[in-house]
Amino acid sequence: MLDKILPKEIYNVLAEKVSFNALNEIRLRADKPIVLSVGGQRYFLGEKGMTGNLKDAIIPSRVMIEDMVFRASECSIYSVNEQIKKGFIVTKGGVRLGLGGDMIEEKGQIKTMTNFSSINIRIPHEIKNCSLPVFNQILRDEKVCNTLIISPPGAGKTTFLRDFICQLSERNYAFNVLVLDERGELDLGKNPSSIGNFADKISFARKKIGFENGIRSLSPNLIVTDELGEEEDLDAVRYAVNCGVNILASAHCDSMENFIKKPSFSKIIEEKVFSRFVLLSMRNGPGTIEGVYNENFSRVTKY
């Protein structure tokens, strides 16, 4: 898909000189050097590949960036405007383009974004078995514990969630799994079993709507969703748990200590909605498991 979005001269350098398997992000900013994130390290992109020398870096123009947004929309900005209002576009195959530019508001509502000035391309990866080291800490007594995966941005939360869903399927745990894919990143769509054999999916809906409609129409045993953060998201989690549905979700934070201090999670923590917390980091590359904690934030395992 990247070959349809990136300018030919940039795509060719990446394809010939950089390993896509190790590439996590491509950041393009108008009139500034292209920056690659590879295995948690930052490099400039030059005509000969990755470089630490600013003088060799490729400098994209604003016109180039706006053309990339147009291509990512499949030549119809209007068709993806609901995504653009949230600051991103997700292509087929789960590649997400985070967008920078001018937000246009009307009567307190975001209408669209214009004058695109930067793009952050997140490269999704399937890392088979990455959830296995803690699989048996999350699946207890034939039931998935309410679990929150915590990590900084880009440290493997989505990859972990995707793999866990597939591990359930491969072990023939026939739970009805509802994947609430608000940003279109959990299901890469590369093959029919990319989210297992027992999963239904609702994409690009706010979590409140996805939880309520999904529980009503699909009767899930387990809901899997990415990036909880807003009060509305956490109210949706509380609603699902009260309906008897288990939750596997993720949230941004860099440590358990800082997570406990997050005001938006105070009620969830106090009510002990989650009985497992898995902390990921980039210490040894994305997806490094730092530990598993119970509802009292005591370590269950240490890595």
Side-chain angles (χ1 to χ4, degrees):
M1 190 64 195
L2 287 177
D3 61 327
K4 295 180 173 62
I5 299 171
L6 290 166
K8 184 177 180 180
E9 60 271 26
I10 294 176
Y11 179 80
N12 287 345
V13 173
L14 288 169
E16 295 170 8
K17 306 293 184 180
V18 180
S19 170
F20 280 108
N21 289 333
L23 185 60
N24 304 118
E25 289 183 349
I26 309 168
R27 287 187 177 264
L28 302 97
R29 302 175 174 100
D31 304 317
K32 295 183 179 180
I34 296 174
V35 178
L36 307 180
S37 174
V38 180
Q41 302 297 314
R42 299 287 191 272
Y43 303 91
F44 297 123
L45 179 68
E47 293 181 359
K48 297 181 179 180
M50 296 186 300
T51 177
N53 191 339
L54 178 59
K55 294 180 180 179
D56 295 331
I58 297 172
I59 310 294
S61 66
R62 183 183 292 270
V63 171
M64 183 183 292
I65 286 173
E66 293 195 337
D67 181 61
M68 288 174 58
V69 175
F70 185 65
R71 292 188 198 182
S73 73
E74 297 186 349
C75 304
S76 175
I77 295 292
Y78 175 79
S79 69
V80 294
N81 193 55
E82 288 302 310
Q83 292 183 53
I84 288 174
K85 288 194 292 186
K86 298 176 183 178
F88 62 86
I89 296 175
V90 178
T91 69
K92 294 176 182 177
V95 176
R96 185 174 75 173
L97 283 72
L99 306 174
D102 297 340
M103 282 289 190
I104 307 300
E105 289 191 38
E106 184 178 301
K107 296 180 181 179
Q109 299 292 320
I110 297 172
K111 304 299 289 184
T112 191
M113 179 184 283
T114 61
N115 299 324
F116 300 102
S117 57
S118 61
I119 296 175
N120 176 29
I121 302 176
R122 295 276 297 274
I123 311 297
H125 294 288
E126 290 184 88
I127 302 178
K128 190 68 176 172
N129 301 330
C130 67
S131 67
L132 281 187
V134 297
F135 186 85
N136 289 330
Q137 296 297 334
I138 297 174
L139 186 73
R140 308 289 291 176
D141 300 322
E142 303 293 302
K143 182 179 179 181
V144 177
C145 300
N146 292 331
T147 301
L148 192 64
I149 312 303
I150 299 170
S151 85
K157 296 184 300 299
T158 305
T159 304
F160 183 100
L161 294 177
R162 192 186 302 120
D163 184 67
F164 190 89
I165 298 169
C166 289
Q167 297 297 339
L168 287 175
S169 177
E170 289 180 7
R171 286 158 177 74
N172 209 35
Y173 287 103
F175 304 125
N176 291 322
V177 179
L178 172 58
V179 178
L180 292 183
D181 202 1
E182 185 176 2
R183 295 171 178 81
E185 294 181 294
L186 277 168
D187 182 9
L188 298 182
K190 292 180 179 179
N191 58 68
S193 61
S194 61
I195 54 171
N197 297 319
F198 306 109
D200 304 299
K201 180 179 68 170
I202 296 177
S203 299
F204 303 116
R206 284 179 17 237
K207 291 185 176 65
K208 180 179 187 302
I209 295 172
F211 271 74
E212 292 177 356
N213 288 9
I215 290 172
R216 187 182 307 119
S217 61
L218 295 168
S219 302
N221 306 117
L222 172 68
I223 292 178
V224 180
T225 192
D226 213 356
E227 298 187 14
L228 300 178
E230 299 180 8
E231 290 283 353
E232 183 180 274
D233 299 345
L234 300 173
D235 287 341
V237 167
R238 192 177 291 107
Y239 167 78
V241 171
N242 288 337
C243 290
V245 181
N246 295 110
I247 304 295
L248 174 63
S250 69
H252 283 147
C253 205
D254 61 353
S255 69
M256 294 307 299
E257 292 78 10
N258 288 334
F259 172 75
I260 293 168
K261 298 174 185 176
K262 295 185 80 166
S264 59
F265 283 87
S266 59
K267 288 183 181 179
I268 288 282
I269 291 172
E270 181 181 343
E271 294 169 9
K272 299 185 178 180
V273 169
F274 291 103
S275 59
R276 288 290 183 271
F277 298 89
V278 179
L279 180 64
L280 306 181
S281 77
M282 299 185 70
R283 181 168 53 87
N284 295 320
T288 301
I289 298 173
E290 295 291 347
V292 181
Y293 302 78
N294 64 17
E295 64 272 20
N296 298 314
F297 297 103
S298 298
R299 278 186 182 270
V300 178
T301 59
K302 184 177 181 180
Y303 292 84

